[in-house]
Amino acid sequence: AQSVAQPEDQVNVAEGNPLTVKCTYSVSGNPYLFWYVQYPNRGLQFLLKYITGDNLVKGSYGFEAEFNKSQTSFHLKKPSALVSDSALYFCAVRDFPTYGNNRLAFGKGNQVVVIP
Amino acid sequence: NAGVTQTPKFQVLKTGQSMTLQCAQDMNHEYMSWYRQDPGMGLRLIHYSVGAGITDQGEVPNGYNVSRSTTEDFPLRLLSAAPSQTSVYFCASSGNRRGDSPLHFGNGTRLTVT
């Protein structure tokens, strides 16, 4: 079964510094990978995805992520963090498609705190 | 464009009571799903549907029922509430069943069972 690990509970970073949120995955085939962000009392919002193609994918709000097949990782990055980036971040993975099955496995989430 | 709408936002139940969490989407999405979010556990899939009349179980289906009579609506029923079902529930939909389309989430229902 597919699974996702987000090893850090909380990531603290100073405003203006680079932000990295780590994610590793385990799947039986080629993965579809996603990052979502959750602000307080809201649902999850889609940031970016890797399906195929370039290993570096760009998403919303200046975020990007790099797919590394050999390390089974999909770390989320932002060159310069903003206070408004403080939120809960989730990595998710889907096995290569079984038609009709859009099931995602989510990591436990990382709280990002950007310090002014 | 409302997206995914969940009602109610908050609910308190006593053990043994039943209730239905409502979810509606106006994007004509094939795929709909219910997740529960618990601290330190991420999101866990309860039930999902790949189209009207088709539902299937996710990772944690016990104690919950779903139906999909229309494309738009996907209600989640708690049959006999238990304290272990205290959680935040999210409904999510996506435009296809292939899995390459991102999920659109509602704002959640916070349920407390006493």
Side-chain angles (χ1 to χ4, degrees):
Chain A
Q2 66 265 39
S3 66
V4 171
Q6 294 182 247
E8 299 160 316
D9 288 333
Q10 183 163 311
V11 175
N12 296 326
V13 61
E15 187 176 24
N17 281 3
L19 169 63
T20 298
V21 188
K22 295 180 181 177
C23 171
T24 58
Y25 65 89
S26 173
V27 296
S28 57
N30 292 323
Y32 287 5
L33 292 155
F34 301 82
W35 275 102
Y36 291 84
V37 60
Q38 184 181 31
Y39 298 101
N41 300 314
R42 300 297 299 273
L44 279 68
Q45 297 176 29
F46 168 73
L47 278 179
L48 51 77
K49 66 180 179 181
Y50 172 82
I51 305 299
T52 187
D54 288 342
N55 290 341
L56 185 65
V57 293
K58 295 188 185 296
S60 306
Y61 312 123
F63 283 94
E64 58 188 30
E66 185 166 12
F67 171 64
N68 187 318
K69 189 171 184 177
S70 63
Q71 297 187 2
T72 62
S73 66
F74 190 56
H75 301 330
L76 181 71
K77 299 181 181 182
K78 186 171 184 180
S80 178
L82 301 173
V83 172
S84 57
D85 293 328
S86 298
L88 191 55
Y89 290 81
F90 289 94
C91 183
V93 66
R94 226 206 79 171
D95 273 333
F96 192 76
T98 299
Y99 189 75
N101 182 348
N102 194 13
R103 297 170 59 154
L104 283 180
F106 282 85
K108 62 178 174 59
N110 283 127
Q111 184 67 48
V112 169
V113 177
V114 182
I115 304 160
Chain B
N1 188 357
V4 178
T5 303
Q6 289 184 240
T7 56
K9 288 185 167 53
F10 302 95
Q11 183 70 50
V12 179
L13 290 178
K14 293 188 187 320
T15 298
Q17 288 184 316
S18 62
M19 78 159 295
T20 299
L21 280 63
Q22 301 292 344
C23 175
Q25 52 91 8
D26 62 358
M27 297 171 283
N28 200 31
H29 281 175
E30 279 188 294
Y31 180 86
M32 296 186 75
S33 55
W34 278 101
Y35 286 87
R36 59 178 289 174
Q37 182 180 21
D38 301 291
M41 300 187 74
L43 277 78
R44 293 180 291 170
L45 182 65
I46 304 172
H47 285 285
Y48 66 98
S49 168
V50 298
I54 306 168
T55 63
D56 206 347
Q57 296 181 349
E59 183 184 355
V60 288
N62 291 341
Y64 307 95
N65 266 356
V66 292
S67 59
R68 184 97 180 267
S69 56
T70 67
T71 299
E72 294 77 20
D73 299 300
F74 191 46
L76 178 72
R77 296 182 186 83
L78 278 70
L79 308 172
S80 176
S84 61
Q85 293 178 305
T86 293
S87 187
V88 181
Y89 292 84
F90 288 101
C91 180
S93 70
S94 72
N96 65 55
R97 56 177 77 178
R98 291 192 307 269
D100 58 0
S101 177
L103 290 172
H104 297 253
F105 283 82
N107 284 333
T109 295
R110 186 174 295 274
L111 175 68
T112 302
V113 182
T114 61

